[in-house]
């Protein structure tokens, strides 16, 4: 049933879609969306609850794994700690038990040139090193021989445990007795002060008032065993509070790593051992990629270790950005689980405290493997939801096909106005710029008709303005030529006068006259060429753009007519009709979408032509030498438009003009000439991809403008000559040397000054200062 046309204009989209959207789509969409939303909400709530339960179960399993394995390691470390405690107690007894060393034992000792009393490397038994910081006398020797009693115990402790690497006793006066033996003079610094090392001071009264066994952080062993951690205990004599020394059992980091690697962990996870300060004690190879670290197990002993050397900060969980959450969890709880992102992959880390050592066992697992079952459940639920949504989309697609056929009737309303638009475009293309407008109730087509009518008027006006601009350009060329000829006559007269004054230089003056005539002609042609080429190029670009758009519009209108004719000739009732109408509709939408853009681009081209012609009209007043109120900013902007072609392919122009700049009394045409000379000079100094910066400002008594470039710069020896007539640094035939000289004369006539600063290879900056003494401000 045909609908009665509305009396007011309507949007094309509303005409085509409002009928079936209101009567069919909206009710069905609301019903379907309500049903689907209810199903999906229920389904996702159940799914999320199941997944959350499975994830909590996996996390608890991971945490339980960390607790179990930490208990295993704790039992091993407790065993070492108990041996250390026993070791310290037996050393205390040895202090109180008299002992006479054998002659063989005493023969093992020697005094080095550096004052170190030590055991020789070629003897058997525990090694002893008495630092040179303690003068060794009879008492010191007797103490060393008395501690020979603990040698069998140290040997037994080392061989009875797979973890213990070496056993030692360090006294308060820097005597060290250690097993297994080695060349202590070669390994230790001769002035070793044992109080400076953590394996001594962490067990003293200040750090360990309870006198219990403590574990050190990982450090470089000065005895040459590489990276170590030690179980240490203080040694006091009976009924005494004086710390005689510290007994310790060393565990190499490589041995701790082997213990961690021996752990059997699910989900392809791995374990880390972390000390109380947050430093990673042991890290398997599987963890190196995640933590971006390489485990340190060996050390190159190029020099003796004279102070504590701990693992780098990169091994400290408390100081890494990617483990902040883990560090906070360890600080607040003995065990727990936290999510991390390591090397761009999501991980779960569970930790548990190892009693006694105050260490933590950290188990790290990949979330994808840990949550594999939960993720599989989520994927299955998502597949069901996607299937339902796809079914709904298929239904709507079939329904849209039906509604498209209904919309064909509405599309016929477009044919009449489109024919009118074709006639308007054809008329404009043939030079009839004021065609009969199209009357239609469709907003977009009515706007296109109005736009075409305005475009015709604008093009007609632009043609007239362009013709006038060409005439003004011809007159300007004549004026410039007359000025150059007048200057040439002056130069010739000057040469004649010089000839009378210096008859002995007749030949040189004759050559100078010929050269000057050629230079003046080059300057004249260069100025005319810059102006004419720039204006012609800048006007030609938008004209070509408008012409191309009108040509495309001429192609579109016949296409629209053919689309209408094809739609009218189709016989109803067949599949072919349906397909042809769809193709016609798609072609029509494509053309109508492009028409608006083409018209907008054409209007932008016309605006550019008008801007160029207006600037050219103002610049063409160069023959006017009357003093008048002058807007310096306006002169700069007008000149930049005229000489745009000179710099557009070489440099980017940046302007920073003071909007509060007052008007001054000047000759605008002459100021334009100065600005043009400076801009062209800057453009010629730039090879490519440079920058020209133009600024204006004011002081209390002057107005100032600067033209700066990033070009090749001016050599220091040429700076004092650049304003001299006929001086140029350009190649012969590329410049006359008059541009800057003329600019200097104009500025001097205006009671101003022109200055230049230049750095060779970096650029130049010309600064022009004009007085405000004759300033004229516009009335309010």
């Amino acid at each position: 049933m045909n609908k009665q046309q509305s009396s007011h204009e309507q949007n094309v989209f509303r005409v085509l879609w409002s009928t079936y959207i209101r009567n069919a789509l909206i009710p069905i969409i609301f019903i379907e969306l309500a049903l689907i939303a209810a199903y999906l909400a229920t389904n996702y709530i159940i799914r999320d609850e199941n997944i959350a339960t499975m994830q909590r179960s996996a996390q608890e399993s991971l945490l339980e794994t960390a607790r179990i394995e930490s208990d295993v390691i704790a039992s091993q470390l407790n065993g070492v700690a108990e041996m250390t405690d026993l070791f310290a107690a037996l050393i205390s007894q040895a202090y109180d038990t008299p002992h006479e060393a054998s002659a063989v034992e005493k023969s093992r000792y020697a005094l080095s040139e550096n004052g170190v009393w030590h055991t020789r490397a070629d003897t058997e038994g525990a090694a002893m090193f008495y630092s040179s910081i303690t003068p060794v006398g009879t008492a010191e020797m007797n103490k060393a021989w008395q501690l020979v009693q603990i040698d069998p115990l140290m040997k037994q402790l080392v061989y009875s445990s797979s973890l213990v690497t070496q056993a030692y006793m360090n006294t308060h006066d820097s005597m060290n007795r250690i097993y297994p033996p080695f060349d202590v003079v070669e390994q230790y610094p001769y002035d070793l002060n044992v109080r400076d090392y953590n394996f001594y001071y962490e067990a003293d009264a200040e750090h360990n008032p309870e006198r219990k066994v403590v574990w050190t952080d990982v450090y470089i062993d000065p005895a040459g065993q590489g990276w170590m951690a030690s179980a240490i205990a203080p040694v006091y004599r009976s009924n005494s509070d004086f710390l005689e020394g510290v007994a310790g059992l060393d565990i190499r980091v490589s041995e701790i790593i082997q213990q961690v690697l021996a752990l059997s962990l699910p989900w392809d996870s791995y374990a880390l051992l972390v000390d109380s300060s947050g430093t990673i004690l042991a890290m398997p190879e599987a963890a190196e990629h995640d933590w971006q670290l390489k485990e340190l197990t060996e050390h190159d002993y190029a020099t003796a270790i004279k102070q504590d050397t701990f693992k780098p900060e990169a091994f400290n969980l408390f100081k890494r950005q990617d483990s902040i959450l883990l560090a906070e969890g360890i600080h607040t709880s003995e065990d727990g689980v936290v999510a991390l992102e390591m090397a761009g992959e999501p991980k779960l880390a569970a930790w548990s405290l190892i009693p006694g050592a105050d260490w933590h066992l950290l188990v790290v697992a990949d979330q994808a493997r840990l949550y594999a079952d939960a993720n599989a459940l989520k994927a299955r639920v998502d597949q069901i939801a996607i299937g339902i949504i796809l079914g709904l989309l298929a239904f709507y697609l079939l329904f849209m096909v039906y509604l498209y056929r209904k919309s064909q009737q509405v599309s016929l309303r477009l044919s009449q106005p489109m024919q009118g638009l074709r006639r308007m475009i054809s008329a404009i293309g043939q030079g009839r710029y004021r065609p009969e407008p199209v009357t239609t109730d469709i907003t977009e087509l009515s706007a296109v008709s109005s736009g075409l009518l305005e475009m015709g008027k604008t093009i007609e006006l632009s043609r007239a303005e362009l013709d006038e601009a060409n005439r003004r350009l011809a007159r300007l060329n004549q004026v410039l030529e007359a000025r150059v000829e007048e200057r040439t006559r002056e130069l010739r007269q000057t040469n004649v006068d010089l000839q009378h004054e210096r008859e002995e230089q007749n030949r040189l003056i004759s050559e100078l006259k010929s050269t000057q005539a050629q230079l003046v002609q080059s300057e004249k042609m260069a100025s005319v060429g810059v102006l004419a080429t720039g204006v012609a190029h800048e006007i030609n670009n938008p004209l070509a753009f408008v012409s191309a758009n009108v040509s495309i519009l001429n192609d579109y209108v016949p296409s629209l007519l053919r689309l209408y004719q094809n739609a009218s000739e189709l016989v109803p009732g067949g599949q072919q009709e349906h397909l042809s109408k769809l193709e016609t509709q798609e072609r029509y939408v494509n053309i109508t979408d492009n028409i608006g853009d083409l018209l907008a681009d054409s209007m932008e081209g016309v605006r550019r032509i008008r801007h160029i012609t207006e600037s050219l009209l103002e610049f063409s007043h160069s023959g006017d030498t009357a003093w008048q109120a002058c807007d310096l900013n306006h002169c700069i902007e007008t000149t930049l438009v005229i000489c745009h072609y000179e710099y557009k392919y070489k440099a980017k122009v940046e302007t920073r003009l003071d909007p509060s700049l007052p008007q001054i009394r000047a000759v605008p045409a002459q100021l334009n000439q100065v600005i043009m000379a400076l801009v062209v000079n800057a453009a010629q100094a730039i090879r490519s991809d440079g920058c020209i910066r133009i600024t204006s400002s004011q002081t209390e008594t002057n107005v100032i403008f600067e033209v700066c470039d990033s070009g090749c710069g001016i050599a220091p020896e040429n700076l004092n000559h650049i304003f001299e007539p006929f001086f140029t640094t350009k190649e012969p035939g590329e410049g006359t040397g008059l541009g800057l000289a003329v600019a200097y004369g104009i500025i001097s006539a205006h009671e101003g000054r022109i200055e230049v600063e230049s750095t060779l290879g970096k650029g130049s900056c010309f600064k022009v200062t004009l007085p405000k003494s004759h300033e004229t401000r516009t009335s309010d």
Side-chain angles (χ1 to χ4, degrees), residues 75-276:
S75 63
Q76 295 175 317
L77 296 181
N78 287 338
V80 175
E82 291 174 357
M83 288 191 296
T84 304
D85 191 43
L86 175 62
F87 183 33
L90 293 177
I91 293 175
S92 179
Q93 292 182 10
Y95 268 111
D96 297 331
T97 303
H99 178 75
E100 181 66 30
S102 65
V104 174
E105 174 66 24
K106 292 181 179 180
S107 67
R108 296 176 57 223
Y109 298 80
L111 186 66
S112 71
E113 296 178 356
N114 294 326
V116 174
W117 194 50
H118 62 93
T119 55
R120 293 193 297 271
D122 57 352
T123 60
E124 297 182 356
M128 193 283 300
F129 179 92
Y130 228 130
S131 172
S132 63
I133 67 173
T134 300
V136 178
T138 302
E140 286 75 20
M141 291 182 180
N142 289 333
K143 180 171 67 173
W145 289 329
Q146 188 172 7
L147 291 180
V148 172
Q149 301 176 78
I150 67 173
D151 287 5
L153 175 61
M154 288 193 292
K155 180 176 180 180
Q156 184 62 30
L157 290 174
V158 171
Y159 289 124
S160 64
S161 174
S162 60
L163 289 179
V164 177
T165 302
Q166 57 189 11
Y168 59 86
M169 167 62 180
N170 288 310
T171 66
H172 65 92
D173 54 354
S174 293
M175 182 190 76
N176 173 263
R177 195 165 194 90
I178 188 168
Y179 188 89
F182 55 90
D183 189 348
V184 290
V185 176
E186 181 69 22
Q187 189 64 41
Y188 287 144
Y190 69 90
D191 56 351
L192 173 73
N193 187 348
V194 73
R195 294 172 180 265
D196 294 337
Y197 293 85
N198 67 328
F199 53 77
Y200 184 90
Y201 62 71
E202 288 187 8
D204 62 19
E206 178 183 354
H207 295 85
N208 186 20
E210 297 88 355
R211 302 184 182 182
K212 62 181 181 180
V213 177
V214 295
W215 287 90
T216 68
D217 297 335
V218 174
Y219 64 93
I220 290 293
D221 180 29
Q225 296 296 326
W227 292 94
M228 287 284 189
S230 299
I232 55 176
V235 175
Y236 294 89
R237 291 194 181 188
S238 299
N239 301 320
S240 174
D241 291 331
F242 179 74
L243 180 64
E244 288 291 341
V246 174
L249 299 180
D250 285 343
I251 299 178
R252 295 186 65 185
V253 168
S254 58
E255 295 295 334
I256 302 175
I257 293 175
Q258 292 301 320
Q259 293 292 323
V260 172
L261 287 175
L263 301 178
S264 177
L265 302 175
W267 306 297
D268 292 332
S269 57
Y270 59 83
L272 302 176
L273 204 57
V274 180
D275 66 16
S276 59

Side-chain angles (χ1 to χ4, degrees), residues 593-626:
D593 285 347
N594 289 336
I595 284 177
D597 293 338
L598 291 173
L599 293 176
D601 291 342
S602 299
M603 294 302 295
E604 176 61 18
V606 170
R607 187 198 63 77
R608 288 180 57 193
I609 294 173
R610 181 182 293 113
H611 182 56
I612 293 169
T613 54
E614 289 174 354
S615 299
L616 181 59
L617 287 174
E618 292 188 14
F619 194 82
S620 66
H621 292 301
S622 59
D624 188 358
T625 59

Side-chain angles (χ1 to χ4, degrees), residues 496-561:
V496 171
D497 295 340
L498 290 174
Q499 184 178 11
H500 290 303
E501 294 174 1
R502 300 180 181 181
E503 293 180 356
E504 69 277 9
Q505 299 180 358
N506 287 336
R507 182 182 57 82
L508 180 59
I509 293 176
S510 178
E511 292 177 359
L512 181 59
K513 285 172 62 180
S514 176
T515 302
Q516 288 174 337
Q518 294 175 4
L519 291 175
V520 169
Q521 183 66 19
S522 297
E523 179 66 15
K524 177 188 70 174
M525 297 309 296
S527 299
V528 174
V530 168
L531 185 61
T533 301
V535 171
H537 184 82
E538 292 301 317
I539 292 178
N540 186 60
N541 281 346
L543 274 180
F545 195 71
V546 171
S547 178
N549 284 352
V550 171
S551 176
I552 294 173
L553 289 172
N554 278 329
D555 291 337
Y556 274 172
V557 170
S559 298
L560 289 173
L561 287 177

Side-chain angles (χ1 to χ4, degrees), residues 53-64:
T53 300
M54 296 175 69
Q55 290 179 345
R56 284 195 297 272
S57 177
Q59 292 178 9
E60 291 173 358
S61 298
L62 186 68
L63 179 58
E64 186 62 23

Side-chain angles (χ1 to χ4, degrees), residues 350-370:
W351 71 90
S352 181
L353 178 68
I354 299 176
D358 199 21
W359 293 353
H360 288 84
L361 180 68
L362 182 66
V363 178
V364 181
D366 187 80
Q367 286 193 26
R369 292 189 177 129
L370 191 64

Side-chain angles (χ1 to χ4, degrees), residues 274 317-318 325-334 351 360 362:
V274 180
L317 301 183
F318 299 164
L325 294 178
L326 178 60
E328 293 175 352
I330 292 177
H331 277 308
T332 57
S333 177
E334 292 185 356
W351 71 90
H360 288 84
L362 182 66

